[in-house]
Each structure stands twice: as C-alpha cells, then as structure tokens.
C-alpha cells in the first residue's frame, strides 16, 4: 500500500469515527471507552506478526509481551463492556416486586 | 499446527481485515442506544476474532508456543480483571487498559526497528517515521496511564505533585525527543537501535512527569486523552506495518478519545492545555472566600427530608462522585423506589463530570438497577428544574454551584451546571459545608430554598427511605 493510500484511509476513518462516536449518548460513554480499549487491542496483530516471524531472542520476548498486552485489551475490554451493558439492558421490573429482589446482582 | 494459507499483505488477508474494521464501526454504531449496545459489542468482538484468526493464518507464521503463551497469559488476566472489577473501579481499569495498549504499541515499534536494522537495508521513511511516532506515543501512554492508575487506586497521592521548574524540564524532554527523532529519520539508511531505546526512555519520563502534576478531579480528562493517544499510536503502527485494520481501528479509538476529552474539558469549562499544564484540580485553588465565618443556612434531619420528598410530585436526584465514594447508589435507589410507590416522579440529573471518567455515574446507577430512561443529561433536565418540586443533591458540589452562572468573578464562572437552584426546594445531603474540588464555597447551600442534611450519604439515604415507608 502506498503512503498516500494509507493517509486517505486514515483521513476517511477520522471522519467516520467522529460521525459515529459523536452519536453515542453520554450515558454510554464508560462502556464506549472500555469498548474502544478492546478495539485498540487490534495492535495484538502487530505482536503476532513480530513473534510469528521472529528469529531473535529479544524479539521473542518483547513480541510475546506485546501479544499478552493486546490480549488483555481484547479479552478484558470486550468482557467488561459486555458486563456493563448488561446492566443497562436489564428490563425495568414491574414496580411491585422491586423490593423483593433488592440487592440482586 | 494450523495450515497457513494467507499471503501476508495479500488481497485475501486485506479483505478479511476490511471485514474486521467494518464490524468495529457497525459495533460502535449499535452502541448509540442502550438496548442495542450489547449486541454491538458482540459484533465488534466478532470483528476482532476475524482479524486475529486472519493474522494467525498468514503464510510463514511460526513460534506457536510463544504465541499461545502470550495469548494465554493476556486472556487469563483479561478474564479475571473483567469479572472482578467493581464498577467504582472502572476508571482504574480503563487507565490500565490504556496503559497496556500503549505499551504493546511501543514494544511493537521497538521490534520493528530491530527487524528493519537486521535486514541491513535502507529503512524506508514511510515506515520509519510512523514507527518513531508509535514508539514515542506508545511509551508516553504506557507510563502516563500507569501514573493515572496509581493515582486513581490511591497508590500515590491524588494531589498534584510537581517539582519546581517542571514546565522547563518537560519542554527540554520534548525538545530532546524531537531532536532524536529527527536524527533517527535522517540516518534512515542505518538507524541506531540504541538511540531508539533512548527515545522510548525519554518518552517514558515525559509520560510520568506530565501526569504526576494532575489532580484527582481532572482524571476524566487525562484518561480520555490517554485513550486518544493510544488510538493514534495504534494507527501509526498500522502505517508502519501496512495494515488497514490497525489504521482504521486505531483512528476510531483516537476519535473517540478526542471527542470525550473535549467533552470533559467543556464540562469543566477549562481548556485541555490548562488541565495538563496548570497543576490545579485537587488542591484548593485558594481565594474565592471558602473560609471565613459560617454563613446562615437551614439544616434538617432525615425525617424532614422524607416528608418534603414524599409529598412532592416530581423529584430530581443529582448524584456526584461523593455518592460513589459512600457506596450510596443502592440506598438512593431505595429512596427512589419508595417515592415511586407513592406516585412521585423521580429522575436523575447527571452532570458530564459526575464521576471519575466519562459516563461513570450512569454505570454506577445502572448497576443499582436505575432504568436508563430515568438518567437525564444536563441539557435535558435543566429546563425541567423550575417545574421540579424537590431536587436532592447527593455527593455533588461544584456542578450545582449557581456562582458558575451568576458570578462572573468566580473561578468556575461559565462552567455548565445543573441548575438545582431553579427547583422549588433543594435538599443537599453532605457531611459538612466544606468546598468541593474547585476549593470555593457553594452559594447553593445558603439559598433560602435549600435545606442541608449533614450526614453520610448512604446512612442518610437509608434513613430517608425507611422514614418514607413509615409515613
């Protein structure tokens, strides 16, 4: 890919990013952040490529750490986001039995 | 082990990466509503699975033992952390995720440099420059995020820590980083690995020094900004590795972090550079007349508060970070439940900086089973205030101070506030009359229609709930 192609993709992605993310309501900003943390875990691909094609001791070590870091982002990020969003999508219970189930969760 | 089928940089791999980032965009788009957001998150995770599997299938991949080791350790930490973390600790968790994300980018940049040098060829500038950028920003984010984490976790004092001449030291460091970057780029035929490592170290020191002087109250901005940084560093790594998935995903994260940073700064009525370089936001700013003799105010007990609330038609609860500190969100929900049983309309007014990170208060209340329809944003609730019978302020302070609107000389003048003083009556649950983060007295406490309930938020809320039930 030429540098100019990459810059084109980058600039278009900036516009898409601002367009999409500015529509996310304030209420969901914390899950948005943890989700973008998870998406940032895409850098793990770089770690995979480093280790997958490495033949040098230091590259083994730093690449493996990079994979572990990326995996923390991906797995932890998506899972904690799922947990949080589960709290938002809970159906509001009928008012009568709110007391009975106090302290659940 | 796995049959390698895809050519690195080939059309098939690139096509799959395009599918992956499209799913990220669709996933975030679904995140615009609470009912679809969970599905959106799964869609984005699906995109990530495609991207990872595609990479694992690249022709020539090896060292499977190390790959499995890295994936195993990282996944195990991720699973445990995401299950164990308390919702009050989300800011720390996001700070930590920002940190490891930045750290991964810095490490990848370092190995790219090593790899490039080992080939013994001219290092093309269109990948060397992104590598340098990714290394610097990744290192700054890693160390800056670690400090932010330590502050949020109370491992180090949250008050601003600054050495004399800090600005000068930072400026010198930044200058050194720029000079070394230029030297590396000029010498692109055989860049020095040692110089690159020095660059990472200087960026690490800069990351520490920039975040250390920032106070606890400014953490929402810092976390958002570091989030934006890690996104940019990932995009830079994408340029270096010629990987579209990294470029697009990194840019999405960067846009998100940037939007949140600007939104937080606007909500605090301060510029980002002011937050980063002024060292205010934790220690009282002084002035403003916080001390001096006590001004007249009305003090009430839980019983009186219960009566005021029970005979109202509409109540707005204004929670602040103090509510989370006191773990009072469940007790407040009990008060709301008791009121709703009596037919009182209860809404929650959430200021953008009510919490330690963007949207934090909403998550804390959602955890306490407050339906998201009742969580109102500032712009939405302020016009309703004059029609509200009782506004209850719990653990919030500066964000309700009418001085922000009325007193042009106030340090918080112009800061958007929740206009509780417009409500018919106001009840403030608070331990004392002490000022908030901005270090200034809150005029709200002395308004004739304001009653102060001096107590711990959780205890007071439980008492009020019980009292309403007995009415």
């Amino acid at each position: 890919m030429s540098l100019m192609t990459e810059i084109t993709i980058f600039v278009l992605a900036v516009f898409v990013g601002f367009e999409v993310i500015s529509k996310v309501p304030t209420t969901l900003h914390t899950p948005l952040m943890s989700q973008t943390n998870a998406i940032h875990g895409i850098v793990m691909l770089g770690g995979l490529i480093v280790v997958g094609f490495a033949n040098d001791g230091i590259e083994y070590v730093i690449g493996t750490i990079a994979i572990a870091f990326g995996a923390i982002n991906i797995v932890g990020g998506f899972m904690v986001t799922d947990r949080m969003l589960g709290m938002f999508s809970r159906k509001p219970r009928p008012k009568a039995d709110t007391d009975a189930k106090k302290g659940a969760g | 082990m796995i049959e390698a089928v895809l050519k690195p940089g080939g059309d098939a791999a690139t096509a799959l990466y395009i599918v992956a980032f499209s799913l990220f965009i669709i996933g975030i788009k679904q995140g615009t509503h609470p009912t679809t957001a969970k599905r959106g998150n799964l869609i984005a995770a699906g995109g990530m699975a495609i991207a990872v599997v595609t990479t694992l299938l690249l022709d020539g991949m090896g060292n499977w033992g190390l790959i499995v080791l890295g994936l195993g350790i990282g996944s195990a930490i991720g699973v445990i952390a995401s299950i164990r973390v308390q919702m009050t600790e989300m800011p720390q968790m996001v700070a930590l995720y920002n940190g490891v994300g930045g750290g991964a980018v810095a490490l990848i940049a370092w190995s790219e440099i090593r790899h490039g040098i080992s080939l013994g060829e001219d290092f093309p500038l269109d990948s060397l420059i992104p590598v340098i950028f990714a290394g610097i920003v990744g290192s700054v984010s890693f160390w800056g995020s670690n400090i932010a984490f330590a502050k949020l976790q109370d491992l180090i004092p949250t008050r601003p820590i600054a050495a004399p001449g800090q600005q000068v030291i930072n400026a010198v460091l930044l200058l050194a980083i720029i000079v070394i970057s230029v030297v590396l780029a000029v010498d692109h035929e055989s860049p020095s690995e040692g110089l690159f490592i020095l660059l990472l170290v200087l960026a690490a020191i800069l990351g520490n020094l920039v975040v250390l002087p920032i106070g606890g109250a400014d953490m929402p901005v810092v976390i958002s900004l570091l989030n934006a940084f890690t996104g940019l560093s990932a995009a830079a790594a994408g340029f270096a590795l010629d990987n579209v998935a990294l470029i697009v995903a990194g840019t999405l994260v960067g846009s998100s972090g940037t939007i949140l940073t600007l939104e937080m700064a606007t909500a605090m009525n301060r510029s980002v550079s002011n937050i980063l370089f002024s060292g205010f936001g934790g220690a009282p700013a002084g002035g403003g007349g916080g001390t001096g003799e006590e001004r007249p105010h009305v003090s009430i007990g839980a019983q009186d508060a219960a009566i005021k609330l029970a005979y109202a038609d509409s109540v707005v609860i204004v929670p602040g970070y103090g509510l989370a500190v006191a773990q009072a969100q469940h007790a407040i929900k009990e008060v709301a439940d008791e009121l709703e049983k009596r037919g009182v309309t209860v809404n929650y007014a959430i200021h953008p900086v009510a919490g330690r990170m963007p949207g934090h208060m909403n998550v804390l209340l959602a955890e306490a089973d407050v339906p998201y329809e009742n969580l109102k944003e500032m712009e939405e609730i302020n016009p309703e205030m004059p029609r509200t019978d009782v506004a209850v302020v719990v653990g919030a302070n500066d964000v309700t101070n009418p001085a922000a609107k009325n007193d042009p000389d106030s340090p918080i003048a112009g800061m958007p506030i929740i206009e509780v003083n417009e409500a018919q009556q106001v009840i403030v649950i608070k331990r004392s009359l002490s000022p908030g983060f901005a270090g200034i007295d809150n005029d709200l406490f002395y308004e004739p229609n304001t009653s102060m309930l001096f107590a711990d938020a959780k205890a007071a809320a439980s008492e009020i709930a019980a009292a309403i039930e007995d009415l």
Side-chain angles (χ1 to χ4, degrees), chain B residues 432-453:
Chain B
S432 68
L433 288 169
S434 63
F437 282 122
I440 51 166
D441 220 0
N442 190 343
D443 292 347
L444 175 74
F445 302 163
Y446 314 106
E447 300 248 336
N449 59 345
T450 301
S451 313
M452 301 298 296
L453 201 173

Side-chain angles (χ1 to χ4, degrees), chain A:
Chain A
M1 246 186 307
S2 79
L3 182 65
M4 279 304 140
T5 313
E6 290 177 344
I7 291 175
T8 309
I9 295 170
F10 171 75
V11 171
L12 291 174
V14 169
F15 283 103
V16 172
F18 271 79
E19 192 62 30
V20 174
I21 286 155
S22 56
K23 295 209 171 67
V24 177
T26 320
T27 315
L28 294 178
H29 275 173
T30 297
L32 171 69
M33 279 191 100
S34 59
Q35 190 181 22
T36 55
N37 276 154
I39 291 175
H40 181 269
I42 190 85
V43 297
M44 191 181 80
L45 304 192
L48 291 173
I49 291 168
V50 167
V51 173
F53 295 91
N55 42 20
D56 160 87
I58 292 184
E59 278 180 37
Y60 289 152
V61 176
I62 52 184
T64 307
I65 298 174
I67 294 176
F69 277 178
I72 293 176
N73 264 345
I74 294 174
V75 176
F78 281 124
M79 279 185 63
V80 85
T81 308
D82 186 70
R83 203 181 129 199
M84 260 188 280
L85 292 173
M87 293 169 182
F88 281 99
S89 52
R90 265 198 297 248
K91 288 263 176 298
R93 286 188 297 271
K95 272 170 193 160
D97 67 273
T98 12
D99 271 36
K101 291 193 69 182
K102 215 177 276 170

Side-chain angles (χ1 to χ4, degrees), chain B residues 100-164:
Chain B
V100 292
V105 171
L107 292 172
I108 291 162
W110 180 13
S111 66
E112 277 300 298
I113 286 277
R114 275 187 75 82
H115 194 69
I117 293 169
S118 74
L119 293 177
E121 293 165 8
D122 185 0
F123 210 120
L125 270 185
D126 59 0
S127 60
L128 181 59
I129 292 171
V131 164
I132 292 171
F133 182 80
I136 297 168
V137 180
S139 184
V140 167
S141 323
F142 179 70
W143 291 99
S145 300
N146 288 348
I147 296 293
F149 169 80
K151 284 196 172 223
L152 289 162
Q153 192 71 28
D154 282 326
L155 298 176
I156 56 174
T158 48
R159 71 189 154 75
I161 305 169

